[in-house]
Structure formats: C-alpha cells, structure tokens
Amino acid sequence: MWVFLLKRVLIAIPTLLLISVLVFAVIQLQPGGFLENMLDDPRVSRQTVEHIRAQYGLDQPVWAQYLNWLKNIVLHGDFGFSFLNNRPVSGLIWERMGWTVLLAVLTILATWAIAIPLGIYTAIHRRGLAATLANLVGYFGLATPDFLVALLLIYAVLSLGGTNVGGLFSPQYIDAPWSWAKLRDMLGHLWIPLIVIGLEGVAGLMRQMRANLLDVLNQDYIRTARSKGLAERVVLWKHAVRNAINPMISIAGLSLPNLISSTIIASIVLNLPTIGPFLYQSLLDKDQYVVMALLMLSALLLMVGNLLADLTLAWADPRIRYE
Amino acid sequence: MNSPVSSRPRLIDRNGPLYLAWRRFSKNTPGVISAAILLLLYLMALFAGFLAPNNITTQHPEAVYQPPQRPHLIRDGRLTWPFVYQLKKERDPVTFITRYVEDTARPTPIRFFLRQGEPYRFLGLKTNLHLFGVAASEGYLFPLGTDQFGRCLFSRILVGSQVSLTVGVVGVFISFALGILLGGISGYFGGWTDNLIQRITEVLLSIPRIPILMALSTVIPARWPSTWIYLGIIAVLAFIGWAGLARVVRGQVLALRDVDYVTAARSLGSPDLRTILRHIVPNLTSYLIVTATLALPGYIIGESALSFLGLGIKEPMASWGLLLKDAQNFQALGLYPWLLTPGLLIFLSVLAYNFLGDALRDAADVRSLD
C-alpha cells in the first residue's frame, strides 16, 4: 500500500510540472497584464510600473520568470504576489480553500446519500411513478448547466418570497462569531449551492448505480442466494448492493473534475467565498500569480481526490490489491 | 416487380449494416424525436433572420424589460385575425414599481410575410422579409419580451442559436481531427511517441475543465471582432476537448493494430499514416460518430458557461449563454423571469443530443473493441 502511494506521488510530479508549464504559457499569452492596466491610472507613471516589474523579476526573459516562479513555490511555498489585493497569494488562497473543500466534501456526501438509495430504488422498482420521477430528475440534471440550475433555484426562491439567495450567510452573520444561530443561518443558505453543485452528480451516480445493480442482480450467485432460501432483504443488501457499489467509488473519482468545475461556477453565480469568484476576478484583472496558483491548485485537488478514490476502493473491495 | 427500374442495382441494400442500423434507430422513439427536435432547431438557426420579427441590436428605450406579448384570437367575443395588444406602462399604486399592462384599446394585427426593418443576409442574398411581425407604424411585437435595452429576446434567441448550435459541431470536428490523428499515431506507433502524447493528454485531462477554459478564453484579445472571438472560443473548446477523444481512439487503435487485415496492408507497403486513416479509422466510424454525438452537449454547455461569465461570445453577437447573462442580476431575475427562456433551448438541445447519442449507440450496436 505505501509503495503504491509513493509511486502515485512520484508519477504525479512530472504531470504537475507539465501542468505548470501549460498554466504559465497560458498566462504569458494573455494580452496585457495587471501592471499594464495600472498605466490607465494617470497617477501611476511608467517609471513606477517599471520599478514594480523589476522588483518581481517580470523584466527578465520568460524562461527565467518561469524558473523563478517554480523555485519559489517548491522551496518556499511562495505562490507569488497578488497585485490586486497587495498581499502574498498563499494567504489569500488558504482563506478560501477551506470553504472550497468543505463545499465539495459536503456535496459529495449529499450526492451519495441521495443518489445511491435512488439508484437502488429505481433498479428494484423499474416501473412506477417514483422511478419515472427519479429518471426525469436525472435527465434534467444531466442536461441543465450548473449556472442555469442556480438561476432557476434563485428564481424559485425569490418568487416564493424568500430572500436567502447568494452568499453563505445573511449580512448580520458575516462577521459574527460562530453560534447556533449563525450555523442555522448557514444551513438556510447552503442547500442552494449543494443542489447546484450536486445535481449533475446525483443524476450520473443514480443512473450508474441502477445499471450496476441490474447487472449484479442477473448474476448466478444472486440466483444461488435466492434459491438457498435467503431473505430477499439479505440477498439485496449483503450480496447485490455490496458488489454493485464498488465501481461507484472509481466513478466518484472520475467525476471530481466536474465537481470542482461546478463548485467554481456555482460560487461565481451565488457569490460564495470559495476559489471560484476569486479566480474569476483575478482572470478579469489579469492578476497573474493568483490565476496560476489557482489553476495549479485545482489540478492538485483533482489529483488528491483521485488518489483518495483509489485508496477508498482498495479499502472497500478486498479483491483489489495495490502492490 | 418487372418494371425496368427495379432491375437496376438497388441503392438500399436491405441487409446491409447501414440499413439494419437505420431500422434499429427508427424503432427508438426518444431517439427519433430527438433527431426531429435537433433538425427543427438547426432549421430555426438557418432561417433565424426570416423567423425573427425584429432586428437583434435595435434598442427600444421605451420598452425596456417588457414582458412577452401573448397572441390573441378572440376580440369582443368573436374570432378574428390573430393580433396582440400593445403594452402600456402603469405604476403600481402600492409598490410604485412600473408594470406593463395590455392596452386593450390598441389591438395590433400580426402580419405575415412582412417586408420591413433592416435587411439581413440569407445564403448570400440581402432581404428584409420576415415571417411575421406587426407593422412598425402600428406598434411592437415582442413574443418573448425584451431585455434591459428593450431588445427583442425572441429574435435574439433565434439569432443566438446560430452561435450556440454551431460551436459544438465545429468544435467537435476540430477536436476529432486532432484526437483521431494524435490518438491514432499514439496507439499505432507506441513507444516514446505514445508516451509523449499520453503525457500531454494526461495534463489536459488533469486540470478541471471550467477553470482552464476560463483561463484560456482570457487569452483571446477583447478588442477582436466578434466573429474572430467566436472562432477563438471554438479553438479554446477544441484545445481542451481533443484529449479525451485521443485517449479513446488510442485504445481502439491499439486493439486494431495487430488485426490481420492491418498487418496485410502494412506488409503490402502501405505508409503508416495511410494505414491509420484508410484501414483503421474507417473501422471506428460508427464508434466515433456515437462518441461525437455524446461529446457535443459538453461543447454547448461549455460555450454557454463561458459566455454566461462574460468570457465567451461578445456583443453584438448573441448566444444562449450570453443572453442568460442578463439574468445573473438577482433583482432582474426575480422581476423579469422571461430572461430565463434561452435556458430552455440549452436544455432542449443538450437533452436531444444525449438521447440521439444513446439511440445511435444502440442502433450501431457499438461495443468496445477491446
């Protein structure tokens, strides 16, 4: 197991390096830049800009800039400087990383808690109103972009007279210390982003779980279990579901990129304190170090998530051994 | 059947694989309905200028955020020629919010095949013929309401469909060309070429889609003309999209590489690229068509998401995502729900492509070759 873990980490290093090259190249290709835009302000002279440029080594050749950037990340954990916020990038990102991961993890838990039972239910009751309804929700989830789901939910809440849209807290709780009232207020806001981020996942997982379970239920060992007189409940939960659920873990790993993308879009539309709006704003303002750091981090999140999915699979399925 | 016509070789081979696939497809009701919906949508995009009653850039400052006008058939209890009422502004006595109400004193007949307004281009000819509308002298017709500048949403949706529906098709074509070529080379040659291409696809696949799409779209200079930006967005989508396809093609080519007829072609001296493109790829055709159809919705959603964020298609062009951008303002959304109608078309086209892809897969009976 540890050897496998080590191997995966070692393989990830060259990939991350290549990603860093790509990310850096994309940012270099952007026309203009934050410092360029500063010149629009009449109080800023070209000399000041040149001075800042020299200070951050942005006057050096491109390859030297890249090596500098990489060296600072690897040696000092320093992701550069946010010109927009006038602060180092690392601190800015950590503030938002917590919410991003929390939102993603909560969504994963919620999707599983909803999609797996629904998938099992629709596999057992293939016809009927509930199954049709679940399938409809599934198709809706697959064919509606996240931002549209967000807009529809916002409209629904607004037209029902609600006001708890956007953000994670009502204004009076934003700077308040944690309390039960604040937590309750957050839960009142949280369900919208959870649905927006999770709907597509629920739809996909539900369909997959249904297909897996139907496959498993047709296998010989299920017939054997039934014919030796086991209760249907035992056959279903101990024999069928146990086996149908394992492939879902690797699928959860594969659906991570979508989850991260959804989190970003949903956060922009709903104005949540995650890396989404931060990335968006930095892109618009061409705050290059922030953008590069966030792109690298979203790739890193994805890799860590995939690794966790593989480890979970090994833990859940005794047939899988990583040597 | 003794007529001379039928003695000619039949164009349709009733036992051919294509015909059998067609028979299977035509039995799949959701698939056929989806194909019909898509056909309608694309016809709508083609004839957008003709179907749209108004010019998409003309602003009507006196009709800002006007709700949709409903067509009427009955006036004073009698059936009449279809007409709409003009809307007049009214201030709510309690909330002081301006509202539009139907001005029943001003019924305006809907006219068909109307020549008015700015000319549009259709297949190279310039015309100002519109399928329907109301005479400019008599009032307005906004079937789906107007936006913040008083522009006709219905017309903008129609013209926007030209962008939204073609981005996917063109994007998929480009990524397929890249994916087939690079995936084919990767699977066929193996060794270090394979390794290199695999690493590149891995990099592209290991960054979540939305952030990298957002970053790439900011590379397109904002001062470019809108048609260039349109091409730029397609390029961005294709740049990310080919990696997944290349991986799929590689797997298939790997499985086909050592099949006898490929070995035969090679030993007869067929050059490598020819072997890939003439002998291996044709065998993957049905598989590729299905994959393309199922990949298309991703492009439509990708474009709409970018345009929605203001990073994609720019004014004066229109696309469904860009139109939804107006609904991003919570207050506007609550008061003017018709701004959400472009979303319905995104939903419809994505769903139709998904069903069509599933139906094609069942019809072609494509199994993975490995």
Side-chain angles (χ1 to χ4, degrees), chain A residues 2-13:
Chain A
W2 292 108
V3 177
F4 165 77
L5 199 65
L6 191 69
K7 238 187 224 167
R8 281 288 294 263
V9 173
L10 285 180
I11 292 173
I13 291 174

Side-chain angles (χ1 to χ4, degrees), chain A residues 130-149:
Chain A
T132 319
L133 213 64
N135 284 334
L136 274 181
V137 171
Y139 284 127
F140 180 79
L142 284 180
T144 320
D146 313 313
F147 65 90
L148 188 56
V149 178

Side-chain angles (χ1 to χ4, degrees), chain A residues 261-283:
Chain A
S261 292
S262 299
T263 312
I264 287 177
I265 287 259
S267 304
I268 296 173
V269 181
L270 296 166
N271 195 17
L272 306 177
T274 72
I275 59 171
F278 192 36
L279 173 68
Y280 182 55
Q281 202 52 48
S282 312
L283 271 171

Side-chain angles (χ1 to χ4, degrees), chain B residues 141-365:
Chain B
L141 174 57
F142 302 123
L144 286 178
T146 63
D147 65 2
Q148 52 181 333
F149 299 113
R151 294 176 298 192
C152 172
L153 190 60
F154 181 70
S155 307
R156 289 174 68 76
I157 287 178
L158 285 175
V159 176
S161 66
Q162 292 176 337
V163 169
S164 297
L165 289 173
T166 52
V167 158
V169 179
V170 181
V172 160
F173 260 104
I174 298 176
S175 12
F176 257 68
L178 275 172
I180 290 171
L181 193 69
L182 290 170
I185 289 174
S186 184
Y188 184 81
F189 290 109
W192 68 268
T193 346
D194 184 29
N195 226 320
L196 181 74
I197 295 176
Q198 282 312 297
R199 287 292 86 75
I200 297 174
T201 55
E202 199 174 291
V203 166
L204 287 176
L205 290 175
S206 53
I207 313 180
R209 228 168 90 92
I210 286 292
I212 190 70
L213 278 181
M214 282 167 66
L216 278 171
S217 63
T218 54
V219 171
I220 305 168
R223 58 175 181 280
W224 270 10
S226 53
T227 32
W228 287 32
I229 289 185
Y230 165 73
L231 295 176
I233 293 298
I234 291 178
V236 164
L237 290 168
F239 177 75
I240 297 298
W242 69 267
L245 293 168
R247 184 154 280 197
V248 171
V249 171
R250 172 184 174 267
Q252 302 289 313
V253 170
L254 217 54
L256 274 179
R257 187 172 59 175
D258 298 319
V259 173
D260 285 345
Y261 70 86
V262 176
T263 319
R266 232 178 342 201
S267 47
L268 283 171
S270 156
D272 290 327
L273 199 62
R274 188 187 153 86
T275 315
I276 295 176
L277 294 179
R278 288 298 296 271
H279 297 278
I280 295 181
V281 171
N283 253 291
L284 299 174
T285 315
S286 52
Y287 185 81
L288 291 175
I289 290 174
V290 171
T291 316
T293 318
L294 289 171
L296 252 155
Y299 287 77
I300 296 179
I301 290 182
E303 181 274 326
S304 65
L306 284 181
S307 303
F308 174 74
L309 294 176
L311 299 171
I313 303 295
K314 302 243 163 31
E315 304 267 358
M317 260 195 169
S319 88
W320 295 336
L322 185 63
L323 293 176
L324 279 174
K325 191 171 186 279
D326 293 337
Q328 202 176 5
N329 177 344
F330 293 172
Q331 205 180 356
L333 179 59
L335 290 171
Y336 321 115
W338 56 89
L339 294 176
L340 284 174
T341 33
L344 186 69
L345 283 136
I346 298 180
F347 172 72
L348 203 63
S349 54
V350 169
L351 197 62
Y353 267 120
N354 274 326
F355 275 121
L356 181 67
D358 283 346
L360 286 177
R361 178 168 50 198
D362 294 345
D365 197 17

Side-chain angles (χ1 to χ4, degrees), chain A residues 203-265:
Chain A
L205 282 177
M206 188 184 80
R207 264 167 65 140
Q208 197 68 43
M209 184 66 206
R210 178 173 177 273
N212 287 350
L213 191 55
L214 285 176
D215 268 358
V216 172
L217 283 174
N218 279 329
Q219 305 242 330
D220 288 340
Y221 73 87
I222 296 293
R223 193 177 311 139
T224 313
R226 278 191 185 131
S227 49
K228 72 181 183 184
L230 284 181
E232 186 60 27
R233 182 174 46 86
V234 178
V235 174
L236 182 68
W237 293 100
K238 284 197 92 166
H239 294 239
V241 170
R242 185 78 184 78
N243 269 302
I245 219 163
N246 281 337
M248 303 300 294
I249 298 172
S250 29
I251 286 165
L254 291 176
S255 65
L256 265 180
N258 275 337
L259 182 78
I260 296 172
S261 292
S262 299
T263 312
I264 287 177
I265 287 259

